[in-house]
Amino acid sequence: MRFSQLLIPTLKEDPAEAEIISHKLLLRAGFIRKLTSGTYTYLPLGLAAIKKVEQIVREEMNRAGAQEILMPMVQPASLWEESGRWDVYGKELLRFTDRNGRNSCLGPTHEEVITDLVRMNVQSYKELPLNLYQIQTKYRDEARPRFGLMRGREFIMKDAYSFDATDKEAEQSYHKMNQAYHRIFERCGLRFRAVEADSGAIGGSFSHEFMVLADTGEDTIVTCKNCQYAANMEKATCVPASKSKDEPQELTKIETPGKRKVKVVCEFLDIEPRQLVKTLIYIVNDKPVAVLLRGDHEVEEVKLANILGVSDEDLRMADDKEVYDATGTPTGYLGPIGLEIQVVADTEVATMVNFAVGANDKNYHVVNCNMGRDFTPTMTGDVRKVTDNDRCILCGGDLVLTKGIEVGHIFKLGTKYSASMNATFLDAKSQEQPFIMGCYGIGVSRIVAAAIEQNFDKDGMIFPIPIAPVQVLILNLGLKDTEITEAANTIYADLLKKGIEVILDDRDERPGVKFKDADLIGIPFRVTVGKNFNKDGSIEIRTRANGDVTTTTFADSVAEITTMVEKGLNQ
Ligand code: ATP
Ligand code: MG
């Protein structure tokens, strides 16, 4: 490919709309262009990187015995009604009506369609196990599409679905996918970690997420310094505190004029935040719910949603007016005593003795409050985020919090969809049984963004060789010089013959522009044919990742470049 003929609209400045590095660089390097919020056109270089990821995914899925299919993107509501998700999936599901008045949606995921396909076409245990996958554009009407390819409304996903006859076989299918995922992300050249995850709206019995480690990640992952424990914050638990042995003291109301925030109240009462219980009001499906939490802890909304049996989209913090309407008390003075709405206490609160709470009276708090004696919550459970002061649930070791980007997610679904959609096969005794299912997603387009978040410098992207759009970029720095141009053209043609992917920068631009663009688009190897070639016949090969420069001759250049590329690909 010749640079002069390719659409690579590089930009000199960072686009104002982009906040994180991958978004900035994908725009600046001319990989993508935005159509509307959360939807992008993949330009030649962007698409080439995506195709590289797709190919790795495809090879590893095939190796694991999965078969590629392609399902329709538009799905009938009737299937979603059968599974029960039409009413619960929420606003991410883009719904519409076709010319015949049939309710439809754009596929955000394909459990319903695949379950329908398999129930119509697979009858016997002899046809199992079965694992089908596709690589396809998904549509999710995300509440906050952002960060470019990281959270789009349209994005490319690989989704696979396994069908097994027994629980044991289903676990083997899960295990195979787990291994395939490790291979995929290793081959993509990513630093990642597999973590225990919440099963969310898709439902199911257990799941793991694959997280690319990067400071800009939207997810927090919790790992143990001492053992293998690794979980998403949404799921992570820790060793609970042991119950305080202090004697309960007499409940005392204290005037705390104007003291509303935890820190301020604690300073005023001369106590630590860990001796106070805060009362937070959430609106859950239009109803207020109070959540009790130790002063220095934070609510984990996914855990809260799970214990309330709702989706995390169905809950949000109440505003000041809603707090007042629900409790008759202004924000800052709320407490559990005498509160007449549903109250969820975090497990940690049950271990505390003689804590401070709001008095449900403006400008007052009470001290020496005790759960069980002074109030009884509607329910108690783990609804808080773990912190790096907490201890590992498996071994008691120190926990560490890091940021991650979710690039893959595997679920053991069990019979959630096969039971509700009546998808059965005949077992060896000719008995009807529901399929035992698993589902396995990879964010193909997100991987490209995640790879950039992990690999860049001040000059641009640094692509891992296996997923770079092409492996080599040749700079012809003497367009009007026949010797230079002939040498550059010959190296280009010979590399192509050897199966190396290469772009020849044959634009009529200054060397400075070519060097800048080369760094920006992050092609692993840059080959320069310029002034030195005229002087002493030398050609320069520069490795983008570490800046190392190898000088070679025209005669040796193709062999040298080929060796470097092959070595890079097999690392
Ligand atoms: P998230 O928590 O980031 O919204 P999810 O749990 O909704 O992800 P899944 O339903 O498991 O994601 O989808 C499978 C994979 O698709 C994810 O692991 C992620 O890599 C990718 N993905 C999900 N939503 C998006 C999106 N809006 N844009 C790009 N990729 C996405
Ligand atoms: Mg999501």
Side-chain angles (χ1 to χ4, degrees), residues 92 140 142 151:
E92 268 188 29
R140 293 184 181 180
E142 295 275 356
R151 183 168 300 283

Short mmCIF file of all heavy atoms in Angstrom, two decimals, residues 92 140 142 151, ligand 2:
data_model
loop_
_atom_site.label_atom_id
_atom_site.label_comp_id
_atom_site.label_asym_id
_atom_site.label_seq_id
_atom_site.Cartn_x
_atom_site.Cartn_y
_atom_site.Cartn_z
N GLU A 92 -30.50 0.24 27.20
CA GLU A 92 -29.40 -0.08 26.27
C GLU A 92 -29.91 -0.82 25.04
O GLU A 92 -29.25 -0.85 24.00
CB GLU A 92 -28.35 -0.94 26.97
CG GLU A 92 -27.26 -0.14 27.60
CD GLU A 92 -26.12 -0.99 28.12
OE1 GLU A 92 -25.85 -2.08 27.59
OE2 GLU A 92 -25.51 -0.56 29.11
N ARG A 140 -25.51 -1.18 21.39
CA ARG A 140 -26.03 -0.95 22.75
C ARG A 140 -26.18 0.54 22.92
O ARG A 140 -25.20 1.28 22.75
CB ARG A 140 -25.06 -1.50 23.81
CG ARG A 140 -24.96 -2.99 23.77
CD ARG A 140 -24.07 -3.53 24.88
NE ARG A 140 -23.99 -4.97 24.77
CZ ARG A 140 -23.30 -5.76 25.58
NH1 ARG A 140 -22.60 -5.22 26.57
NH2 ARG A 140 -23.29 -7.05 25.42
N GLU A 142 -25.77 2.84 24.90
CA GLU A 142 -25.09 3.12 26.16
C GLU A 142 -25.52 4.48 26.72
O GLU A 142 -25.67 5.44 25.96
CB GLU A 142 -23.57 3.15 25.95
CG GLU A 142 -22.96 1.82 25.54
CD GLU A 142 -22.62 0.93 26.72
OE1 GLU A 142 -22.79 1.37 27.87
OE2 GLU A 142 -22.20 -0.22 26.47
N ARG A 151 -15.97 2.64 24.65
CA ARG A 151 -17.39 2.44 24.96
C ARG A 151 -18.23 3.08 23.87
O ARG A 151 -18.63 4.23 23.98
CB ARG A 151 -17.74 2.99 26.35
CG ARG A 151 -19.19 2.74 26.74
CD ARG A 151 -19.48 3.01 28.19
NE ARG A 151 -18.67 2.17 29.06
CZ ARG A 151 -18.91 0.88 29.31
NH1 ARG A 151 -19.95 0.28 28.78
NH2 ARG A 151 -18.11 0.20 30.10
MG MG B 2 -22.20 -2.94 29.43
#
